[in-house]
Amino acid sequence: CSFVEIYLEKVYDLLQAWREDLRIGNGERGEACVVGASEVCCLDVSDVYALLARGNAYRTKASTDQNTDSSRSHAVFTLRLEKVNRENGTQLSSRLLLVDPAGSEVGRQKSTRGKDTPTAFEGKMINASLASLGNTVRAVLAEQGKAKARNSSKNAPSPSKLAQLLRPCFGGNWFTTIICTGSSSSYNINETINTLKFGQQVREIRNTP
């Protein structure tokens, strides 16, 4: 297992106390992965839960208008599974990614507009990262002939770190499930609608696991 967070477009290892910006590279199958992230061998479920608790303790959080303990980063927990046939030596492997993205702060930015505060800057970076993920989903839909490409690949902005890591989950050799969280409050109506639109777009993508 490994556990990282993406904070202000920098990738940090949540299983280590020190803060070192890690880079994203290509794994064995050419898929994006975090180079240099710690990997811990887990023997049972309790080991996995212990790692989750340990990593969450290091995750970047702050108090905001909407949440007293708001996560200011995207968290990615990766569980790599291996199965070995002891008779013939064949091996099967797979990866399970559990992703907890920071919530959109479009509504909150209205109240912090013009304010030079750490949380306001974090909100801008979070929104830009989520927008990049939305662009990635639309690009996959365009590749599958289910939408028109808005940007040419030449002029398209560079994908965020979150979009780079999750790109194989859309249209690739993965089973992907997304839980969209909305709010019944009229104050958050725009964010809820945008979240549902994103979920609707994702449902149109076809993966080939």
Side-chain angles (χ1 to χ4, degrees), residues 72-110:
R72 314 305 294 160
S73 66
H74 311 301
V76 181
F77 185 86
T78 303
L79 194 154
R80 186 157 55 90
L81 302 166
E82 294 181 347
K83 181 180 180 180
V84 179
N85 187 317
R86 296 181 178 178
E87 293 183 357
N88 56 27
T90 59
Q91 179 174 320
L92 298 175
S93 64
S94 62
R95 284 195 301 161
L96 172 67
L97 266 64
L98 301 176
V99 184
D100 177 25
S104 167
E105 302 210 350
V106 175
R108 186 179 182 281
Q109 276 196 304
K110 295 179 181 178

Side-chain angles (χ1 to χ4, degrees), residues 130-150 169-171 176 178 180 192-207:
L130 294 176
S132 177
L133 182 62
N135 291 336
T136 297
V137 168
R138 285 188 288 272
V140 173
L141 286 173
E143 290 173 5
Q144 296 185 349
K146 298 177 181 179
K148 293 182 178 180
R150 293 190 176 183
C169 301
F170 301 107
T176 301
I178 293 182
C180 296
T192 298
I193 290 175
N194 287 336
T195 299
L196 294 176
K197 286 181 178 178
F198 174 76
Q200 189 174 21
Q201 290 176 330
V202 170
R203 287 187 63 181
E204 297 179 14
I205 294 176
R206 291 293 174 264
N207 288 10

Side-chain angles (χ1 to χ4, degrees), residues 65 105-117 119-121 123-124 127 187 190:
D65 296 340
E105 302 210 350
V106 175
R108 186 179 182 281
Q109 276 196 304
K110 295 179 181 178
S111 62
T112 60
R113 191 164 294 162
K115 296 181 180 179
D116 186 17
T117 64
T119 52
F121 181 69
K124 292 179 181 179
N127 290 340
Y187 176 77
N190 290 332

Side-chain angles (χ1 to χ4, degrees), residues 11 56 72 95 126 131 199:
V11 184
N56 276 324
R72 314 305 294 160
R95 284 195 301 161
I126 290 171

